[in-house]
Amino acid sequence: MKATDVITDGFGRIREIVHEVVEGVPPDLLNARVDPAANSVTWLVWHLTRVQDDHIADAAGTEQLWDSDGWSDRFALPLPAGSTGYGHSPRDVYTVRVNSGELLLGYFDAVHKRTASYVRGLAATDLERVVDERWDPPVTLGVRLVSVLTDDLQHAGQAAFVRGVLERDRGA
């Protein structure tokens, strides 16, 4: 098995979790928070998708789908252009809301499709390419992909936890 197959499989597992968490859930539950300082399912899925979109576009030398495919306009969030959720305050988190899970899944699936296509097209030697010199040691493409994968997996798990707590609290 090639390393790129393993990475692609990992991103596929994130997709499974995201769909399990979002599908069939009403917007009020997606947008709800367990307390005023907590993240909602909506914010967690939006954030993990934004980070994946941002980092994969940077690595591939392409434009983010957030901009090129009009997702920014569809979400119409009152946030600075290019916002991915890093450094968001509880007030910022509250502004990331959706009227349907389809919007979240549409953006996520578009980013996932591009990510999977990109990773499948890589050779093992591509994973050794340095993509970020700001760190010591410099970050290779392989390390960046694993970083995105693990961060996204954590947020997908957090979203599943939040949904479970909210459903329990509502007696669902």
Side-chain angles (χ1 to χ4, degrees), residues 125-145:
T125 55
D126 293 328
L127 299 176
E128 299 169 14
R129 177 173 57 92
V130 172
V131 295
D132 193 342
E133 300 266 355
R134 296 174 295 174
W135 299 91
D136 185 19
V139 177
T140 63
L141 177 57
V143 168
R144 176 59 47 85
L145 291 172

Side-chain angles (χ1 to χ4, degrees), residues 80-100:
S83 180
T84 63
Y86 282 121
H88 271 189
S89 69
R91 179 175 287 165
D92 295 328
V93 170
Y94 179 79
T95 67
V96 180
R97 304 174 68 77
V98 294
N99 292 323
S100 77

Side-chain angles (χ1 to χ4, degrees), residues 11 15 45-57 63-69 71 75 104-119 148 152:
F11 279 109
R15 183 183 184 280
V45 172
W46 170 83
H47 170 63
L48 73 85
T49 308
R50 288 292 298 124
V51 168
Q52 189 176 141
D53 191 10
D54 175 75
H55 287 34
I56 298 300
E63 192 174 357
Q64 294 178 38
L65 296 177
W66 181 250
D67 300 314
S68 67
D69 284 7
W71 292 104
F75 275 80
L104 278 174
L105 291 177
Y107 178 45
F108 176 83
D109 285 343
V111 170
H112 172 76
K113 181 178 176 181
R114 189 197 46 199
T115 298
S117 176
Y118 174 68
V119 173
V148 172
D152 280 4

